[in-house]
Amino acid sequence: MSNGYVYFAYGSNMYREVMLRRYPKAEYVGIARLEGWKFQYDGGPKDSRSGTPVGNIVISANDVVWGVIYMLQPSDKDLLDKQENVPEHYQHHIVQITTADNTKMKAFTYIRQPLPVGTPDKEYREMVVLGARGSGLPENYIEEALS
């Protein structure tokens, strides 16, 4: 991997075609899991562009979040921070992820304070699921956590 920031994407940013179009210097690395965390759709009218819940992760000892690893250059990370509305909406967190070949590495991800859990809009959920399937995340995880 080249120099830059290792980013763990778990929501709509797993959709590789959109990510690589928006952030042309980004590199897709592969998939990974984050143990001890749980994916959820949360938030409300003030928490997303659509006014509906979006992806977030919360600490949950017996759960796992699957996602996609990207290597970001500083210019793309700055643009992504703006898209994710850092620090007002999400904040950077350093997490330890495990790659498909069981290599452990540190990555940054975006997390916000948990909000009421709800149902995202159809287009957003479809983008999350398409990104997960397109990257080869486990189907049982997609069905149980993302669909």
Side-chain angles (χ1 to χ4, degrees):
M1 288 187 287
S2 63
N3 291 335
Y5 297 94
V6 179
Y7 167 48
F8 178 70
Y10 57 81
S12 62
N13 289 337
M14 291 189 293
Y15 195 30
R16 197 178 332 171
E17 291 79 10
V18 173
M19 261 305 275
L20 298 179
R21 185 173 63 239
R22 287 182 183 161
Y23 312 104
K25 294 179 184 171
E27 297 174 42
Y28 172 82
V29 177
I31 65 171
R33 66 186 183 275
L34 174 60
E35 296 176 11
W37 292 80
K38 178 182 177 182
F39 177 87
Q40 64 185 30
Y41 294 107
D42 68 16
K46 298 178 184 176
D47 304 308
S48 70
R49 289 176 188 87
S50 67
T52 63
V54 292
N56 194 20
I57 58 175
V58 296
I59 293 174
S60 181
N62 297 320
D63 287 300
V64 63
V65 173
W66 283 89
V68 173
I69 308 166
Y70 296 100
M71 180 62 68
L72 300 180
Q73 295 305 309
S75 59
D76 284 337
K77 181 182 173 293
D78 291 345
L79 290 171
L80 185 56
D81 282 353
K82 287 179 185 170
Q83 176 188 315
E84 299 298 334
N85 198 13
V86 173
E88 292 81 16
H89 194 62
Y90 285 95
Q91 292 78 42
H92 295 144
H93 288 266
I94 303 299
V95 294
Q96 181 169 287
I97 56 175
T98 306
T99 64
D101 67 358
N102 287 320
T103 300
K104 295 192 183 298
M105 65 171 49
K106 299 266 186 208
F108 89 90
T109 195
Y110 296 100
I111 303 173
R112 66 173 187 216
Q113 289 294 336
L115 297 165
V117 174
T119 303
D121 71 27
K122 182 180 177 186
E123 182 179 297
Y124 180 83
R125 184 183 303 228
E126 285 175 357
M127 184 178 290
V128 172
V129 170
L130 283 172
R133 283 201 173 109
S135 295
L137 269 58
E139 189 62 32
N140 64 328
Y141 173 77
I142 295 169
E143 292 297 322
E144 293 171 15
L146 306 178
S147 295

